[in-house]
Amino acid sequence: MANGFEALKVCSQTVELLLKMGIRKPMPVQEQAIPALYAGKDVIARAQTGTGKTMAFLLPLVEKIDTSKSYVQALVITPTRELSQQVATELKKIIGDREIKVLAVTGGRDFETQKHKLEGKSHVLIGTTGRLLDHIRKGNTSLGGVKYLVLDEVDEMLQQGFIDEAGELISMTNPEHQTMLCSATLSEEVRKLGKHITKNCALIDINPEEATVAKIRQICLKTTDEYKNKVVAGLIDRYNPYLMIVFCMSKERTKELGEWLGMQGYNVDVLHGEMSPAKRKTVMKSFRDAKIQILVASDLAARGLDVEGVTHVINYDIPHDPEWYVHRIGRTGRAGNDGIAVTLYTADEVKWLRNIENKLNVTMERQNLEGKTVARRSVASASTGKAKKNNTPKRGRNSVVNKRKAPKTGSNRRQGAKKEK
């Protein structure tokens, strides 16, 4: 059976290394980006994490490095320390016996140690804007020889306000450099930036629905805020996941759920924005090594973090933005593997569920607490905004059954909520 990477003109040494990693068939973003990058074109790619975009820019990078020249020739800028470390790890897997020196340059690591390593004349720097600029301003390295530039998760850089610093770094590179810009979205801001920093570029747009969620079984489960913790515990017991990530909308809810699950005896830890870089690194290492089975995380972990073996994702809080839904559930079903994503929602949150389904053109399977599929009321003519009349008998929300099921706290608010159609 022919190897798909050979058809893309990837060198035989790299193809062999990919085979050892179990990678034989290129993913859609790789099929389009790799030939364009080999041809010397700039590339703007919309691709979610988990679609193979990292290898799409790393495979050409390896072959563009001249190891006889001891200066920085390639620069990869990322919005987070974790993503920089991941990209560096992936790159080292495909270097083989080539003497390419790679260094991740991020905060949270000893500055003097990094300075010493930079003196060893790295060929590839992968890092965050702040720490890269610190070293350059102190004369520890320079970017004048960089001819291959990647901005990864550029929409996140824009959101976090790092793009000016990234622009400063870009201005220090060789004027004739080649650029690849990766983004999970193609917003107006991203498009404007792309026009500014690329020339004669190839635009690659990988549909997020097809790329990320096609292999993921998507389930929704209706509950109440008061009962959510027990629902999560029930899902853990039922699925017995290898690795599961539970996403919450805030660090407070992340900590509360993590503590509650720990008290019930589950093998759990948390990841949120208040944690120190050292603690975050420790938690992620334990999770990657499967020493932790359940990771309760705020949206900090939804972008860029690539953990092999995540079998299940739970949306404890339903995301209001379909893009964030894709980012979250994309932690499972990666690189063509199957995965399960369960989204919990309350009566007040039906509109957010419909928003996700309409925008992504998906219909989640509705289950009850026992895991049985239950019928969903038709959302007929959702695309036209016209609901069918007299299709469903009215059940007033003040029925005896509904009163019995309503929570004791906040029941008046819930009884006034919109019905699920």
Side-chain angles (χ1 to χ4, degrees):
M1 182 180 178
N3 184 292
F5 288 97
E6 291 174 343
L8 297 179
K9 310 299 183 188
V10 175
C11 79
S12 58
Q13 183 180 355
T14 305
V15 169
E16 286 300 316
L17 291 166
L18 290 170
L19 283 172
K20 288 178 182 176
M21 295 164 61
I23 301 173
R24 178 182 292 273
K25 183 181 178 183
M27 298 182 77
V29 69
Q30 295 163 353
E31 289 177 331
Q32 296 182 53
I34 290 173
L37 291 167
Y38 278 155
K41 288 186 177 181
D42 286 356
V43 170
I44 298 176
R46 177 179 79 148
Q48 309 293 335
T49 49
T51 58
K53 67 173 175 55
T54 302
M55 283 297 178
F57 63 73
L58 288 182
L59 292 174
L61 182 155
V62 167
E63 295 178 39
K64 290 178 182 288
I65 300 299
D66 183 349
T67 55
S68 69
K69 297 175 181 176
S70 57
Y71 55 80
V72 181
Q73 299 167 46
L75 174 67
V76 181
I77 306 173
T78 77
T80 67
R81 300 166 179 177
E82 292 87 355
L83 184 54
S84 290
Q85 297 293 336
Q86 282 177 206
V87 173
T89 299
E90 291 302 300
L91 178 54
K92 288 171 184 176
K93 290 178 183 176
I94 57 171
I95 286 175
D97 58 7
R98 287 169 283 210
E99 296 181 358
I100 298 175
K101 294 180 181 178
V102 180
L103 182 61
V105 184
T106 68
R109 299 293 178 97
D110 184 73
F111 189 86
E112 291 302 315
T113 301
Q114 286 180 351
K115 177 183 175 182
H116 177 71
K117 289 181 178 178
L118 285 167
E119 289 170 355
K121 307 297 182 186
S122 298
H123 299 110
V124 184
L125 297 184
I126 302 168
T128 49
T129 57
R131 181 55 67 93
L132 283 164
L133 284 170
D134 285 347
H135 281 294
I136 290 167
R137 287 165 181 163
K138 291 183 182 297
N140 299 335
T141 190
S142 68
L143 304 178
V146 169
K147 298 193 75 172
Y148 189 88
L149 170 73
V150 178
L151 273 70
D152 199 5
E153 302 282 10
V154 73
D155 50 341
E156 187 70 5
M157 282 190 218
L158 283 161
Q159 187 175 338
Q160 295 188 22
F162 297 152
I163 212 65
D164 288 341
E165 291 181 338
E168 192 174 344
L169 291 167
I170 294 168
S171 70
M172 300 175 187
T173 63
N174 187 310
E176 300 303 313
H177 70 259
Q178 182 180 11
T179 301
M180 178 161 178
L181 186 154
C182 301
S183 178
T185 63
L186 279 179
S187 65
E188 188 61 31
E189 276 186 302
V190 172
R191 290 177 186 273
K192 282 181 181 177
L193 178 67
K195 286 180 182 178
H196 179 65
I197 67 172
T198 65
K199 53 190 175 184
N200 187 30
C201 77
L203 179 62
I204 298 169
D205 192 0
I206 304 299
N207 184 290
E209 178 197 347
E210 294 175 2
T212 306
V213 303
K215 299 281 287 184
I216 300 172
R217 183 181 179 191
Q218 298 173 72
I219 296 165
C220 61
L221 198 155
K222 191 173 183 180
T223 182
T224 65
D225 261 334
E226 294 81 2
Y227 201 66
K228 274 187 179 181
N229 287 6
K230 290 184 179 178
V231 171
V232 172
L235 290 169
I236 296 170
D237 292 341
R238 175 148 57 87
Y239 286 126
N240 188 25
Y242 177 65
L243 293 176
M244 173 187 279
I245 302 179
V246 185
F247 283 110
C248 300
M249 67 180 178
S250 68
K251 59 180 178 290
E252 291 79 15
R253 286 168 77 85
T254 299
K255 290 190 281 189
E256 287 171 9
L257 177 60
E259 288 172 6
W260 187 87
L261 288 173
M263 290 172 63
Q264 311 310 308
Y266 293 102
N267 181 10
V268 63
D269 211 333
V270 299
L271 191 73
H272 56 77
E274 274 188 357
M275 295 167 62
S276 69
K279 176 61 176 172
R280 276 161 49 185
K281 182 183 175 185
T282 300
V283 170
M284 286 309 303
K285 186 178 188 311
S286 296
F287 189 57
R288 285 194 178 95
D289 294 343
K291 293 176 181 175
I292 297 168
Q293 183 184 21
I294 314 296
L295 181 66
V296 182
S298 65
D299 281 319
L300 164 79
R303 293 293 291 269
L305 290 178
D306 188 357
V307 179
E308 290 183 13
V310 175
T311 51
H312 298 76
V313 165
I314 296 178
N315 288 310
Y316 183 85
D317 295 308
I318 187 169
H320 295 181
D321 184 344
E323 293 283 359
W324 275 108
Y325 173 80
V326 172
H327 295 321
R328 285 181 176 189
I329 74 168
R331 299 315 92 212
T332 185
R334 297 176 76 77
N337 295 318
D338 294 332
I340 293 176
V342 182
T343 297
L344 309 185
Y345 69 102
T346 66
D348 294 340
E349 295 170 332
V350 172
K351 60 184 177 182
W352 302 120
L353 182 72
R354 289 181 184 158
N355 184 45
I356 290 168
E357 292 186 319
N358 290 339
K359 291 287 177 63
L360 297 179
N361 193 28
V362 298
T363 302
M364 297 183 211
E365 173 189 347
R366 183 174 173 186
Q367 291 188 355
N368 60 20
L369 297 177
E370 290 74 41
K372 295 179 180 177
T373 301
V374 295
R376 292 183 58 180
R377 298 182 195 176
S378 173
V379 189
S381 304
S383 58
T384 62
K386 297 178 182 178
K388 288 184 180 180
K389 293 182 180 179
N390 302 322
N391 227 16
T392 310
K394 293 183 179 179
R395 288 187 169 183
R397 292 189 68 82
N398 293 323
S399 67
V400 174
V401 173
N402 280 338
K403 281 186 177 178
R404 284 176 183 163
K405 290 185 178 180
K408 291 180 181 178
T409 35
S411 56
N412 291 336
R413 178 173 59 84
R414 282 188 168 73
Q415 286 174 6
K418 294 180 181 179
K419 289 190 208 174
E420 177 185 2
K421 291 182 182 178

